[in-house]
């Protein structure tokens, strides 16, 4: 979800779970996938939730050589008529990018394509968009040179970028927060302070959530005041329901097991 506004969320790419998914990286909150059949069923429910809520979903084929290939968000960044193809931060994941890049180039004729060059590196999962304000996580996957390339693109588009240092116990910026709408950011206690986001634009708000619901802070907002969220995070759910959102809950246990969150599994374009 991370790099498009709500009004731009009509189409998305997802990618099937690889038969080698059991070997996906799990170095942060995941303990490693244990059941590929369940993972595939959960991924189908995810894709169905997008489709049945108005998103035109294209599913790319899995790559058996890349256990993490389902996590497409990291591989390409689409912002207002531009596609930034980052150098993914984990070396083992760099080969996931070509089919995603080919698809976007074919679909988005006329968009400007910017290809990041090493030693710059960045995962799409480190970018968060709040309306026309952007945040980027400086993390184990995203370095200063990668941030500089993103800033060049956003300067060109006239959008502000704010840098947030990701604590060592977190993977990506979007592993710990999300924007269920263009005005709200969900942030867990114990990971980031409200001050790390700077002064909020008029009408925007940071909602602090309990530390134990950090995984639930990753949500996908959709047009029509809908939000997809992971099952099992009651404070996040009730906070969103109290604000008038229609909540669509999904079991993400086998996706979470590979350090994956809701937003990791799609690219809106
Ligand atoms: N398993 C997701 C990642 O580490 O990138």
């Amino acid at each position: 979800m991370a790099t498009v506004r709500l009004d731009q969320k009509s189409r998305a790419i997802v990618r099937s779970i690889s038969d080698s998914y059991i070997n996906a990286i799990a170095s942060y909150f995941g303990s490693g996938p244990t059941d590929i059949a369940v993972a595939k069923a959960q991924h189908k429910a995810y894709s169905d939730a997008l489709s049945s809520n108005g998103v035109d979903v294209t599913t790319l084929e899995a790559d058996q050589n890349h256990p993490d290939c389902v996590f497409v968000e990291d591989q390409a960044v689409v912002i207002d008529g531009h596609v930034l193809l980052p150098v993914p931060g984990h070396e083992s994941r760099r080969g996931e990018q070509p089919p995603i890049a080919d698809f976007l180039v074919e679909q988005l004729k006329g968009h400007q394509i910017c290809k990041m060059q090493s030693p710059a590196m960045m995962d799409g999962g480190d970018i968060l968009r709040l309306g026309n304000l952007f945040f980027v996580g400086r993390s184990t996957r995203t370095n200063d040179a990668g941030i500089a390339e993103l800033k060049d693109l956003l300067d060109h588009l006239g959008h502000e970028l704010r840098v947030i240092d990701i604590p060592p116990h977190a993977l990506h910026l979007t592993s710990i927060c999300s924007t269920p709408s263009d005005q709200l950011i969900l942030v867990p206690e114990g990971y980031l302070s409200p001050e790390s986001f700077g002064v909020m634009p008029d009408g925007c708000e940071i909602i602090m959530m309990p530390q134990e619901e950090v995984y639930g802070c990753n949500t996908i907002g959709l047009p029509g005041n809908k939000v997809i969220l992971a099952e099992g995070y009651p404070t996040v759910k009730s906070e969103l329901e109290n604000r008038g959102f229609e909540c669509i809950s999904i079991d993400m246990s086998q996706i979470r097991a590979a350090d994956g969150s809701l937003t990791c599994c799609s690219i809106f374009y």
Side-chain angles (χ1 to χ4, degrees):
M1 106 145 256
T3 63
V4 298
R5 291 187 314 263
L6 270 186
D7 63 293
Q8 298 171 321
K9 288 187 170 177
S10 57
R11 296 186 294 179
I13 305 172
V14 303
R15 194 169 191 182
S16 300
I17 298 231
S18 165
D19 288 338
S20 59
Y21 182 61
I22 219 94
N23 299 318
I25 305 162
S27 313
Y28 288 87
F29 48 90
S31 47
T34 51
D35 192 326
I36 293 191
V38 172
K40 288 185 177 181
Q42 290 177 353
H43 187 257
K44 181 173 184 321
Y46 172 89
S47 176
D48 289 348
L50 290 173
S51 308
S52 59
N53 286 287
V55 182
D56 179 4
V57 176
T58 298
T59 305
L60 302 183
E61 261 181 44
D63 178 346
Q64 310 314 331
N65 294 317
H66 288 98
D68 285 279
C69 69
V70 63
F71 302 125
V72 290
E73 179 188 45
D74 294 322
Q75 300 291 330
V77 176
V78 181
I79 304 174
D80 298 358
H82 294 68
V83 180
L84 175 59
L85 297 172
V87 176
H90 198 289
E91 204 164 350
S92 74
R93 299 197 52 203
R94 293 186 182 157
E96 295 171 30
Q97 194 178 58
I100 297 168
D102 291 348
F103 177 85
L104 289 171
V105 168
E106 175 63 28
Q107 291 292 313
L108 300 176
K109 291 199 169 75
H111 278 47
Q112 189 167 335
I113 312 292
C114 319
K115 195 153 175 37
M116 191 177 276
Q117 300 297 330
S118 184
M121 64 179 198
M122 191 181 74
D123 276 0
D126 271 319
I127 307 174
L128 187 69
R129 180 172 190 164
L130 180 75
N132 286 328
L133 172 60
F134 286 76
F135 301 92
V136 64
R138 187 192 281 122
S139 71
T140 55
R141 301 288 178 88
T142 298
N143 63 12
D144 284 326
I147 292 171
E149 292 205 26
L150 176 65
K151 182 167 171 16
D152 281 349
L153 171 59
L154 292 173
D155 282 350
H156 167 72
L157 292 168
H159 297 325
E160 185 187 349
L161 178 65
R162 299 180 186 175
V163 181
I164 296 182
D165 284 309
I166 302 304
H169 54 303
L171 171 55
H172 291 129
L173 179 58
T174 60
S175 308
I176 53 178
C177 56
S178 68
T179 50
S181 75
D182 291 338
Q183 288 82 32
L184 294 178
I185 309 181
L186 293 170
V187 179
E189 302 279 359
Y191 284 81
L192 295 172
S193 67
E195 292 74 33
S196 32
F197 292 84
V199 176
M200 282 293 100
D202 284 349
C204 293
E205 190 185 344
I206 292 174
I207 313 173
M208 296 307 291
M209 289 286 110
Q211 180 161 356
E212 62 274 17
E213 294 204 22
V214 53
Y215 187 77
C217 289
N218 179 284
T219 64
I220 299 180
L222 293 173
N225 246 19
K226 296 178 178 184
V227 59
I228 302 179
L229 68 166
E231 248 173 42
Y233 301 93
T235 314
V236 172
K237 187 164 187 262
S238 68
E239 182 69 40
L240 292 171
E241 283 175 344
N242 289 342
R243 288 167 184 268
F245 287 95
E246 179 188 335
C247 289
I248 301 143
S249 300
I250 297 186
D251 183 353
M252 291 288 285
S253 54
Q254 283 296 311
I255 307 293
R256 178 186 166 137
D259 288 350
S261 306
L262 287 159
T263 59
C264 305
C265 299
S266 51
I267 302 172
F268 286 90
Y269 67 98

